[in-house]
Amino acid sequence: MGALGVPLPARVAARAAAPALWRRVSAMATRGAGGATIITTAATPTAAPAVAGAAGLSSLPSMWSLRARPPLTGAAASAAAAASTTAGAPPPPSDASAATGEPEGGTFLEGVDANFRAASAHLRSVDPALLENIRRCNSTTEFAFPLKRDDGSITTLTGYRAVHSHHMTPSKGGIRYAPSVSRSEVEALACLMTLKCAVVEVPYGGAKGGVAINRGDYSPAEVERITRRFTSELYRRNLIGPAVDVPAPDFGTTAGDMAHIKDTYMQLEGGSMFGAAAVTGKPVSQGGIRGREEATGLGVYFGVREFLSNKTVATAAGLPTPWSIPASTFAIQGLGNVGYWAAHFIAKNGGRITTVGERDGTVSDPAGVDVEALKLHLTNNGGSVVGFANGGSPSLSVVADPAAVLSADVDVLIPAALEGAITTANAKAVRAKVVAEAANGPVTAGADVVLAAAGVVVLPDLVMNAGGVTVSYFEVAKNLAGLRFGRLTQRAEEAAMANLLATLQSHGVTITDRDRRRLIIGADERAHVYSGLEDSMCAACGETVKVAAELGVSLRIAAYFTAIRRVAETFESRGLWP
Ligand code: NAD
């Protein structure tokens, strides 16, 4: 056995097989849904491992297989070069799955179920019937509702709310506005929310909802009407409330939408002392908490740092040890809320972001992409990368291919758009050593197998993007307390430190003004939030690495295992009613 409980022959075999597998990769350029040139890889029967289904996943290769990553050469490189333009922009695809293709090897929900079952197989002391009860979604509500458009016409829209688990209440999960929203998608995401909450010890069940729209097709006034009507549909079905079910932002929704949800809830409720806690991710002026906007991306940064600072994980990925952010390169798919903030904190801590993929193209610069400038450019240009100059950098290239980011030659690839971005069709083109799942479900079950065989370490979504719900939990706590964190303590902490420094000074210690400015800082709300978030992320990463080593499984299965065990313990200790 190897040091991590993985049979050595499997690791040796993976090392031997990987180069051959990679040599069979070929790439071809095709026209994508939005007219964009998209690079896909042609899978050969021998190169594509059996897609992991419910039965096959129990034999998922461990993350600990040794890696062998050949460079993208030949046809793949030529296709990438052929796709290079100085951005004659094609019309943008309406969503990430339109650009990257449906996940094969089953739906997103089937992939989540398969991971659940693979992890459950290690929970031998838990009644399998209880595990099956935990796996299933408690309820999914689908409703149609009308929208009066600005031009007076009427459109019928479809909304969903899936509540996966009531093992703890309230249930918690985002609201998504995307064409991909469906019963099956919200059920998969709701299950992930139950497990994610358990991984970071947030005392909630999981839920998810959304409306099947492309937000860009509607005016701001129409989006507000959609949000308010959607909220009223939840309200009349008892699917929203501080003790019941608490939405939050997700793909396609913003803090402004959460303000509209809160206001609608308060209007319908007729005044409520705790009404602000009916939704999180609100603007601060509406009872939101400082630090929530950046929480998920900051959590991604903490997750990357914690996982890759672990010697075993870094070694498995083929990264140097000790690993450091400043010595590493990063690629980000999707510069929305999660992707932007992850990029912001990585860059702030010295990491070099060399590639960013957005809806209508990919920008690359080996000297580093200025993510602040790119975010501003996207905001000012309707989300298009066209015309981005990166401060006039001579090494900048812009390709009209949103998927090109996935084959960027970087240490860490961070998919932060939608599920199903990396499939068996394109997994072999991934050149990163690590895929850090900032989005929910960006790596399909089949692609997981391909990446593991190639020695690419996947940092799982259950942990990586749990920062959002962690800080939402702090926001609910703030709303229920009716008090900002730090308000009672900030000045007291500063006074205590000032007294300490004065005492030291009186005993002859030299304290400069600079020392005083640095040390006399009481923790304000944001400092409390960052501290709690970092603590939660570090604990979750540490536990996941420990369980992966103990069981000899991937980090993903380890995270599922921990989460399911915690949910099962809740049921076992309280019993089933009646
Ligand atoms: P968002 O709407 O703020 O950003 C998504 C970004 O992806 C947008 O900039 C969009 O233009 C871009 N995009 C869409 N299709 C793309 C494509 N084909 N290629 C490249 N970019 C593309 O959404 P978000 O809130 O950042 O959520 C992103 C992911 O993170 C989702 O999977 C979501 O479920 C997950 N997540 C979000 C939160 C949160 O707090 N917002 C928390 C946990 C998980």
Side-chain angles (χ1 to χ4, degrees):
M1 294 288 267
L4 292 154
V6 179
L8 274 173
R11 302 171 69 176
V12 174
R15 183 172 24 177
L21 184 146
W22 274 99
R23 273 197 298 276
R24 285 192 287 270
V25 171
S26 65
M28 54 194 175
T30 57
R31 301 301 294 177
T37 305
I38 293 178
I39 301 167
T40 58
T41 55
T44 65
T46 41
V51 171
L57 264 174
S58 56
S59 60
L60 260 182
S62 144
M63 66 164 277
W64 312 114
S65 58
L66 298 179
R67 58 175 303 101
R69 288 180 328 113
L72 190 64
T73 53
S78 331
S84 285
T85 77
T86 17
S94 58
D95 64 73
S97 49
T100 53
E102 275 298 303
E104 70 293 76
T107 63
F108 181 23
L109 180 59
E110 285 166 349
V112 171
D113 280 348
N115 286 325
F116 191 104
R117 291 194 168 104
S120 296
H122 295 273
L123 281 155
R124 293 190 191 91
S125 62
V126 182
D127 183 342
L130 178 60
L131 290 169
E132 176 60 10
N133 180 267
I134 294 171
R135 184 187 67 77
R136 288 186 56 177
C137 188
N138 280 10
S139 71
T140 307
T141 307
E142 175 178 342
F143 42 87
F145 62 97
L147 166 73
K148 188 178 257 187
R149 308 273 327 235
D150 291 343
D151 65 5
S153 64
I154 294 170
T155 302
T156 302
L157 303 175
T158 310
Y160 300 87
R161 187 70 178 171
V163 179
H164 178 263
S165 177
H166 284 122
H167 74 288
M168 290 193 189
T169 48
S171 46
K172 187 93 190 69
I175 302 288
R176 178 176 278 198
Y177 289 169
S180 61
V181 172
S182 65
R183 174 177 285 265
S184 144
E185 185 184 70
V186 294
E187 287 187 359
L189 291 163
C191 178
L192 288 181
M193 282 305 298
T194 294
L195 303 179
K196 201 178 299 179
C197 288
V199 159
V200 281
E201 297 185 276
V202 166
Y204 299 145
K208 205 78 172 193
V211 184
I213 54 164
N214 177 25
R215 186 187 184 112
D217 295 343
Y218 298 88
S219 71
E222 288 172 336
V223 171
E224 180 174 343
R225 289 202 289 282
I226 292 169
T227 303
R228 289 186 182 278
R229 179 63 188 251
F230 176 76
T231 307
S232 77
E233 296 290 338
L234 295 180
Y235 184 84
R236 60 199 280 211
R237 292 171 173 86
N238 197 26
L239 283 171
I240 184 168
V244 182
D245 189 8
V246 181
D250 193 76
F251 186 97
T253 55
T254 64
D257 301 322
M258 301 307 116
H260 293 146
I261 290 177
K262 178 202 156 191
D263 184 55
T264 307
Y265 176 81
M266 296 294 253
Q267 299 294 338
L268 294 171
E269 189 71 359
S272 158
M273 206 173 156
F274 302 118
V279 57
T280 60
K282 305 176 291 287
V284 173
S285 65
Q286 294 301 317
I289 193 166
R290 288 165 188 82
R292 174 60 183 89
E293 188 197 336
E294 65 267 39
T296 312
L298 178 56
V300 171
Y301 160 73
F302 286 140
V304 167
R305 189 195 69 187
E306 282 308 295
F307 273 129
L308 299 184
S309 298
N310 180 284
K311 199 174 167 197
T312 313
V313 180
T315 305
L319 292 167
T321 54
W323 174 84
S324 81
I325 285 199
S328 304
T329 53
F330 297 82
I332 314 249
Q333 183 195 40
L335 211 61
N337 173 279
V338 178
Y340 164 70
W341 284 109
H344 169 90
F345 286 106
I346 286 167
K348 193 173 164 191
N349 285 280
R352 190 153 40 102
I353 292 154
T354 58
T355 313
V356 178
E358 251 296 332
R359 283 174 188 262
D360 70 343
T362 296
V363 304
S364 312
D365 194 334
V369 174
D370 180 344
V371 288
E372 307 301 328
L374 178 55
K375 185 68 181 169
L376 191 64
H377 178 90
L378 291 168
T379 306
N380 293 338
N381 292 277
S384 172
V385 298
V386 176
F388 177 64
N390 204 29
S393 168
S395 44
L396 174 73
S397 76
V398 182
V399 300
D401 176 7
V405 64
L406 301 174
S407 55
D409 190 6
V410 289
D411 294 313
V412 183
L413 167 64
I414 304 182
L418 278 176
E419 64 269 15
I422 303 175
T423 67
T424 53
N426 61 12
K428 297 182 211 77
V430 170
R431 288 194 283 170
K433 298 180 175 77
V434 173
V435 174
E437 294 186 318
N440 283 307
V443 176
T444 66
D448 236 349
V449 178
V450 178
L451 293 178
V456 178
V457 170
V458 176
L459 310 181
D461 51 3
L462 273 196
V463 183
M464 291 303 294
N465 66 31
V469 75
T470 302
V471 176
S472 279
Y473 167 43
F474 302 158
E475 185 176 330
V476 169
K478 172 187 180 177
N479 294 152
L480 297 182
L483 190 64
R484 185 181 77 229
F485 292 110
R487 184 162 179 179
L488 301 186
T489 50
Q490 186 175 2
R491 280 179 184 261
E493 287 167 8
E494 289 171 2
M497 181 55 79
N499 281 340
L500 175 66
L501 295 183
T503 306
L504 290 173
Q505 238 170 347
S506 72
H507 288 284
V509 177
T510 306
I511 310 281
T512 64
D513 281 350
R514 188 167 169 271
D515 290 335
R516 293 178 65 78
R517 279 198 303 277
R518 223 165 26 93
L519 293 171
I520 304 180
I521 302 175
D524 61 8
E525 182 172 72
R526 196 180 300 274
H528 277 280
V529 165
Y530 281 20
S531 167
L533 173 59
E534 184 170 8
D535 184 57
S536 304
M537 292 301 298
C538 292
C541 293
E543 180 67 14
T544 304
V545 172
K546 183 167 104 26
V547 170
E550 281 168 5
L551 300 181
V553 297
S554 67
L555 293 171
R556 186 188 308 286
I557 297 304
Y560 270 73
F561 174 91
T562 301
I564 299 166
R565 180 174 53 75
R566 287 177 180 164
V567 176
E569 278 168 7
T570 311
F571 279 117
E572 284 171 344
S573 55
R574 78 156 194 228
L576 297 178
W577 185 88

